[in-house]
Amino acid sequence: MLITGDKDEIRALAQSWRTSGERVGLVPTMGALHEGHLSLVRRSKAACARTVVTIFVNPTQFGPGEDLSKYPRTLENDCAMLEAEGVDAVFAPPDGSMYLQGHASWVLVERLTAGLCGASRPTHFRGVTTIVSKLFNIIQPHEAFFGQKDYQQAAVIRRMTLDLDMPVSITVGPIVREADGLAMSSRNRFLSGEQRQAAGILYRALCEVCTLAEKGTPLEDCLEHLRAAILSQPLAELDYAAIVDADSLEPVKDLSRPAVAALAVRFGPTRLIDNMLLPPGRTGDS
Ligand code: AMP
């Protein structure tokens, strides 16, 4: 497994694979890898002859006062995990190397980035779409793999590749969870024992709303239940609870079309997100 921080080296390697007709898969990450990341690696390995994993804590997707400096960095351990998975190459550019002095270009996706996480992290998606575009340009993968855990991010990236005619297909893998349902996240390690236990409320609340939606409960009641469930947990501070259209991410009037329930919740300084697709069909008054 090649491990490099050199753009030219990874570009040349990926190019050589493409030239010899091998399908190249890309899994972009910020490292501190867990089973959620590895599930995407396995998908890439199953679909592509070659898999590149990138590890880069992208500064431009962190806002002022967010946890950039504290974000976990475990490169050696990450590489050992990826080697064991049979990954072909890891691109881990050093801090500072992806944004040159005078960097002035950004990729902006409108509309889809306005709500949910975009509302409380206004520059976040600009950072994500810019770094992902740069990684696509360097590696030029046939297919790139993202997790449903970051539902809005996956929707934004899919939109970006469509709108900008990027020749890469986007695959989204399901959320990998801990035994109590908490979505795996590199940030879970920051939770105290008590917070970690309390954080199970995200998954429970989403499951309850899914059951309510299946029963035909009206949208407003589903939303109210979601909010109330989080607010009932004293250690949880709600950033947002929303039910939005699964494609447009716009607020929905009823549950007649596929929708997604999405949450962002703080436990102390640690902000966790989670989501669940709600079954379409029954509108509550049918
Ligand atoms: P990150 O390192 O947090 O930027 O995540 C890198 C990729 O892994 C993103 O596409 C995430 O959506 C995905 N990912 C993170 N956590 C999970 C999870 N629990 N299950 C599935 N995919 C995940």
Side-chain angles (χ1 to χ4, degrees):
M1 182 178 82
L2 173 77
I3 303 171
T4 183
D6 182 337
K7 278 183 208 179
D8 294 333
E9 190 177 17
I10 195 71
R11 188 195 295 276
L13 183 62
Q15 168 70 51
S16 73
W17 291 334
R18 281 198 312 280
T19 304
S20 52
E22 292 181 298
R23 186 170 178 82
V24 177
L26 170 66
V27 183
T29 81
M30 297 208 299
L33 301 182
H34 50 66
E35 278 296 316
H37 299 111
L38 297 185
S39 71
L40 299 177
V41 167
R42 289 172 198 143
R43 276 184 172 246
S44 175
K45 294 255 323 155
C48 301
R50 300 288 187 172
T51 292
V52 180
V53 176
T54 61
I55 298 178
F56 180 61
V57 182
N58 174 35
T60 64
Q61 69 188 68
F62 290 78
E66 290 186 358
D67 58 353
L68 172 62
S69 60
K70 274 190 4 204
Y71 200 84
R73 289 157 191 263
T74 57
L75 185 61
E76 212 174 303
N77 191 46
D78 292 347
C79 288
M81 289 164 87
L82 296 174
E83 175 111 62
E85 293 293 330
V87 162
D88 296 281
V90 174
F91 177 49
D95 285 352
S97 67
M98 291 299 278
Y99 296 96
L100 304 179
Q101 186 81 26
H103 179 94
S105 307
W106 300 98
V107 179
L108 291 183
V109 174
E110 297 182 340
R111 266 196 338 267
L112 288 171
T113 56
L116 304 177
C117 290
S120 53
R121 307 184 74 193
T123 57
H124 172 68
F125 288 110
R126 175 186 88 154
V128 170
T129 44
T130 301
I131 194 68
V132 170
S133 299
K134 285 165 71 68
L135 295 172
F136 285 176
N137 285 336
I138 294 165
I139 293 154
Q140 296 179 39
H142 296 91
E143 188 168 355
F145 297 81
F146 295 87
Q148 190 199 317
K149 155 88 181 344
D150 298 83
Y151 190 92
Q152 187 175 18
Q153 170 177 280
V156 166
I157 286 166
R158 211 190 272 287
R159 186 77 247 168
M160 173 184 81
T161 60
L162 283 173
D163 289 348
L164 301 182
D165 296 307
M166 293 179 169
V168 51
S169 75
I170 303 300
T171 296
V172 179
I175 303 174
V176 178
R177 298 181 178 281
E178 303 285 358
D180 69 342
L182 178 66
M184 289 192 184
S185 164
S186 307
R187 290 184 168 102
N188 290 350
R189 71 191 66 204
F190 295 132
L191 299 171
S192 69
E194 221 186 346
Q195 290 170 335
R196 170 63 191 83
Q197 218 183 347
I201 190 65
L202 274 78
Y203 180 65
R204 286 200 304 280
L206 289 167
C207 287
E208 285 164 13
V209 164
C210 200
T211 306
L212 289 174
E214 265 163 7
K215 288 184 185 151
T217 308
L219 171 75
E220 310 75 60
D221 296 345
C222 290
L223 197 49
E224 184 44 39
H225 187 89
L226 191 58
R227 291 211 174 98
I230 302 298
L231 294 174
S232 73
Q233 171 46 253
L235 297 182
E237 188 195 327
L238 186 61
D239 178 349
Y240 66 77
I243 298 178
V244 296
D245 183 274
D247 296 321
S248 70
L249 307 187
E250 300 284 345
V252 288
K253 291 198 182 68
D254 59 40
L255 294 174
S256 57
R257 281 179 35 80
V260 62
L263 286 173
V265 180
R266 286 177 203 282
F267 291 86
T270 307
R271 183 175 178 277
L272 303 180
I273 57 172
D274 200 352
N275 66 82
M276 196 171 283
L277 287 161
L278 300 181
R282 295 170 59 181
T283 57
D285 44 19
S286 59

